[in-house]
């Protein structure tokens, strides 16, 4: 990887072998577009290659979990996400029922586990992890295609180049960079990141190991015009042949049959496929008369053993695939991009400390593994055989308790996600609390540019942090809470890297660990920014 000691030599070699950009990102889905924006915010030049000529219009993920809402919030995207949510017809009735505090007059749910619905009425509101759970704006009901459009606009606005209708067909990497082959000519870059989905060309060509478990289900998720289903129960239900979700107000239906993977998985799903699946799983004499959106899925569950090989990296579905239950795919992909973006950008700039890029796999792989096991567990509980159905009754009983519902909701929402970072303060490794500051702003308001952040109300560390002013913003306005640490260092991805009482040695070590060596400026005046809206 590029370190301060080798950055100059790499730049000199690059002069002999010019690059078209610092990073090529293969794939313009949520992972690729979020990564492109983060790389540009960090100062790296980016070309995104996407084989599709336009954003996929099919309905996929329809909700965001807590880590993703926080990520978008910290990049100033809540207003456009809120607008997208308001424009989504099937969410309007729900959103209009929300009270000013973000709650709803409609029955509240916090998702499902293995098609067992969870009631928010059972959540333990005294649980400290649930305190202040929601940011100022609720934007959880946003479709993936809307998210992609918003992230594409952000990436382009920051200067990333998105080339649609261009597919990666091969590449060769060497010590100085990567030459990417496409149908429209080669591209020379310093790094290549595969964000090109579960059937990733980049992953296959690079030879990443991709172990996992084979599929045993065929699922369909559709928005369609259907007759003959008026007697079906609303919501999730288990039958003798599988499980289904019926959502008449939105015209949405999902079926899961445990009869193996489909024979023609590479071909588009049809209205006839959905109709046969509904009849098989529900027993209803259904007729599909029109399709708005239809996708087919399985529970193929795999994860790359590492997310980096030399100058080639993986993110999103290219690094891990799993069934969609719990809505973890979009959220896991954006999390990968947030973690990788600032680290790879620092590597490109030559400011990255030794080993920084390797922390990407070290931090994200365990979270990916958890999601895979979380979805495998749901498959086991949904199986239509006696042992699984007995287990399902036990899990359903637990989900109807306060402790059980709270446990499942915390896992589904992602609020329990954290990284194993060194430090004694319990905040270290966790997503930073969104403190309200004395001037009325909030901590997330000062993270839009993607730099690290030091909350230092006493201003006692100005001389220590001044050499990092190109990589870090310092805020001296105090939080309006008594439980905030005396000072807190937050990485560009929003995770706390250091917190506690004034301790020059420990803070200096944290800064060097995550931001690299300090830079001597002619003037040591720090970049101290009074917190503003």
């Amino acid at each position: 990887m590029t370190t301060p000691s080798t950055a100059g030599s790499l730049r000199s070699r690059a002069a002999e072998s010019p690059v078209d950009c610092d990073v090529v990102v293969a794939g313009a889905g949520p992972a690729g577009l979020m990564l492109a924006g983060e790389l540009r915010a960090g100062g790296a030049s980016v070309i995104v290659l996407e084989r599709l000529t336009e954003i996929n219009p099919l309905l996929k993920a329809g909700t965001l979990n807590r880590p993703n809402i926080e990520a978008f919030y910290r990049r100033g995207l809540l207003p456009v996400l809120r607008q997208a949510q308001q424009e989504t017809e099937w969410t309007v009735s729900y959103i209009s029922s929300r009270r000013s505090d973000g709650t709803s007059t409609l029955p509240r749910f916090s998702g499902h586990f293995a098609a067992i619905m969870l009631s928010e009425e059972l959540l333990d509101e005294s649980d400290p992890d649930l305190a202040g759970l929601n940011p100022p704006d609720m934007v959880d009901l946003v479709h993936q295609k809307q998210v992609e459009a918003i992230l594409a606009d952000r990436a382009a606005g920051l200067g990333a180049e998105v080339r649609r209708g261009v597919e990666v067909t091969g590449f060769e990497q060497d010590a100085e960079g990567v030459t990417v082959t496409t149908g429209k000519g080669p591209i020379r870059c310093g790094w290549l990141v595969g964000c090109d989905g579960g059937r990733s060309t980049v992953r296959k060509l690079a030879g990443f190991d991709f172990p996992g478990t084979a599929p045993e289900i065929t699922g369909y998720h559709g928005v369609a015009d259907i007759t003959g289903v008026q007697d079906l129960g609303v919501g999730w239900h288990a039958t003798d042949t599988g499980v289904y979700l019926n959502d008449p107000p939105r015209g949405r239906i999902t079926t899961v049959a445990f009869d193996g993977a489909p024979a023609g998985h590479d071909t588009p799903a049809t209205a006839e496929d959905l109709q046969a699946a509904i009849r098989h799983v529900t027993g209803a004499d259904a007729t599909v008369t029109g399709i708005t959106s239809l996708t087919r899925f399985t529970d193929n569950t795999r994860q790359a053993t590492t997310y980096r090989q030399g100058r080639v990296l993986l993110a999103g579905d290219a690094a891990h695939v799993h069934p969609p239950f719990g809505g973890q795919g979009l959220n896991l992909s954006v999390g990968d991009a947030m973690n990788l973006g600032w680290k790879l950008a620092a590597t490109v700039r030559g400011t990255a400390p030794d080993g920084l890029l390797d922390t990407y796999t070290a931090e994200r792989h365990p979270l990916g593994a958890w999601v895979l096991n979380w979805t495998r567990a749901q498959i086991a509980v949904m199986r239509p055989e006696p042992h699984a159905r007995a287990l399902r009754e036990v899990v359903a009983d637990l989900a109807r308790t306060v402790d059980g519902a709270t446990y499942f909701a915390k896992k589904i929402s992602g609020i329990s996600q954290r990284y194993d970072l060194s430090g004694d303060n319990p905040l270290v490794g966790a997503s930073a609390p969104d403190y309200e500051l004395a001037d009325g702003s909030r901590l997330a308001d000062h993270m839009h540019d993607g730099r690290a952040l030091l909350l230092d109300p006493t201003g006692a560390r100005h001389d220590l942090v001044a050499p990092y002013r190109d990589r870090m913003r310092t805020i001296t306005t105090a939080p309006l809470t008594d439980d905030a640490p005396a000072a807190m260092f937050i990485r560009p991805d929003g995770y706390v890297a250091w917190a506690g009482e004034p301790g020059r040695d420990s803070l200096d070590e944290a800064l060097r660990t995550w931001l690299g060596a300090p830079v001597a400026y002619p003037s040591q005046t720090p970049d101290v920014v009074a917190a503003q809206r």
Side-chain angles (χ1 to χ4, degrees):
M1 62 177 290
T2 308
T3 65
S5 62
T6 62
S9 61
L10 282 179
R11 290 193 184 101
S12 66
R13 287 196 295 268
E16 299 172 5
S17 178
V19 297
D20 298 298
C21 64
D22 294 320
V23 184
V24 165
V25 176
L33 293 170
M34 189 73 187
L35 178 61
E38 292 301 291
L39 287 167
R40 286 298 302 134
S45 58
V46 186
I47 296 175
V48 181
L49 305 178
E50 170 56 54
R51 65 179 182 83
L52 299 178
T53 57
E54 59 184 18
I55 293 175
N56 190 335
L58 295 178
L59 179 65
K60 296 183 180 179
T63 59
L64 304 175
N65 71 7
R66 176 64 182 185
N68 275 14
I69 296 174
E70 288 181 333
F72 297 142
Y73 177 35
R74 288 165 178 156
R75 296 302 184 254
L77 295 175
L78 281 188
V80 289
L81 285 166
R82 185 173 64 248
Q83 180 62 34
Q85 181 172 252
Q86 292 287 355
E87 293 172 353
T88 304
E89 183 177 353
W90 64 267
T91 65
V92 169
S93 61
Y94 178 82
I95 296 169
S96 64
S97 72
R98 281 181 170 163
R99 305 183 184 95
S100 59
D101 63 358
T103 62
S104 173
T105 58
L106 295 178
R108 298 180 300 162
F109 298 96
S110 54
H112 74 92
F113 178 83
I116 299 169
M117 294 305 298
L118 307 171
S119 173
E120 287 189 18
E121 300 292 348
L122 291 174
L123 296 186
D124 180 5
E125 296 183 359
S126 68
D127 190 306
D129 288 338
L130 300 181
L133 181 59
N134 297 314
D137 295 295
M138 294 286 289
V139 291
D140 49 338
L141 301 175
V142 183
H143 288 313
Q144 179 171 322
K145 61 183 180 181
Q146 295 173 300
V147 171
E148 289 184 21
I150 290 168
L151 293 181
D153 287 344
R154 174 179 181 250
L158 289 171
E161 182 181 353
V162 180
R163 300 180 183 178
R164 295 190 176 273
V166 181
E167 186 173 3
V168 173
T169 58
F171 63 85
E172 292 184 1
Q173 68 166 311
D174 51 56
E176 288 79 33
V178 185
T179 301
V180 181
T181 306
T182 78
K184 297 186 178 181
I187 301 173
R188 180 68 178 174
C189 59
W191 302 83
L192 170 64
V193 185
C195 299
D196 48 342
R199 303 180 185 183
S200 170
T201 297
V202 172
R203 185 190 67 238
K204 293 174 181 177
L205 292 176
F208 283 86
D209 291 333
F210 201 51
T213 51
E216 59 181 272
I217 70 168
T218 295
Y220 291 93
H221 179 59
V223 177
D225 297 319
I226 310 170
T227 61
V229 293
Q230 64 275 5
D231 294 330
L232 292 182
V234 176
W236 282 101
H237 296 273
T239 72
D240 291 339
T241 51
V243 297
Y244 70 88
L245 168 68
N246 185 33
D247 188 2
R250 309 177 198 175
R252 183 167 68 114
I253 194 162
T254 300
T255 64
V256 179
F258 286 76
D259 50 6
H265 187 57
D266 292 334
T267 60
T270 66
E272 290 74 19
D273 292 331
L274 178 61
Q275 178 174 290
I278 296 172
R279 293 180 177 183
H280 173 64
V281 174
T282 71
D285 187 21
T287 300
V288 177
T289 58
I291 292 289
T292 300
S293 175
L294 180 59
T295 57
R296 182 197 291 119
F297 63 90
T298 74
D299 59 325
N300 182 39
T301 307
R302 301 182 182 277
Q303 183 180 26
T305 54
T306 179
Y307 293 176
R308 178 191 176 193
Q309 288 188 7
R311 290 179 171 268
V312 180
L313 301 104
L314 303 176
D317 290 350
H320 37 69
V321 294
H322 53 85
F325 305 115
Q328 299 293 332
L330 168 62
N331 300 296
L332 190 60
S333 295
V334 170
D336 288 350
M338 285 291 289
N339 188 284
L340 174 59
W342 67 277
K343 295 174 180 177
L344 184 53
T347 301
V348 168
R349 293 196 314 268
T351 61
D354 189 29
L356 179 65
L357 202 53
D358 293 328
T359 67
Y360 168 56
T361 295
E363 293 177 357
R364 293 303 298 176
H365 197 277
L367 288 180
W370 174 82
V371 169
L372 266 62
N373 281 334
W374 178 260
T375 55
R376 285 190 181 107
Q378 293 182 76
I379 294 296
V381 173
M382 287 191 290
R383 288 182 183 130
E385 52 89 15
H387 294 85
R389 287 299 157 89
L391 177 61
R392 183 180 184 82
E393 292 181 10
V394 174
V395 174
D397 283 344
L398 290 173
R400 287 190 285 267
T401 67
V402 171
D403 288 345
T406 301
Y407 167 83
F408 283 119
K410 287 166 64 173
K411 290 293 188 180
I412 291 172
S413 69
I415 63 175
S416 59
Q417 292 181 9
R418 59 185 302 133
Y419 298 133
D420 185 15
L421 308 183
S422 60
D424 296 331
N425 192 289
L427 287 175
V428 174
S431 180
D434 187 36
Y435 294 129
E436 184 177 2
L437 304 179
D439 63 357
S441 68
R442 304 189 73 93
L443 207 60
D445 295 332
H446 306 281
M447 303 185 71
H448 294 182
D449 62 3
R451 281 192 288 173
L453 195 67
L454 180 68
L455 180 63
D456 182 22
T458 68
R461 300 159 188 81
H462 291 174
D463 61 331
L464 179 63
V465 302
Y468 294 98
R469 68 188 190 190
D470 63 323
R471 287 159 272 174
M472 182 170 64
R473 182 187 299 269
T474 303
I475 296 179
T476 57
T477 307
L480 295 178
T481 179
D482 295 331
D483 61 358
M488 184 168 63
F489 166 43
I490 305 168
R491 304 189 321 186
D493 58 358
Y495 282 78
V496 179
W498 175 90
E501 297 298 322
R504 182 183 182 93
D505 292 341
S506 60
L507 177 56
D508 181 62
E509 180 182 359
L511 293 174
R512 289 176 178 272
T513 296
W514 297 109
L515 301 184
V519 175
Y521 290 97
S523 171
Q524 288 295 298
T525 303
D527 180 21
V528 177
V529 180
Q532 299 176 356
R533 284 192 179 277

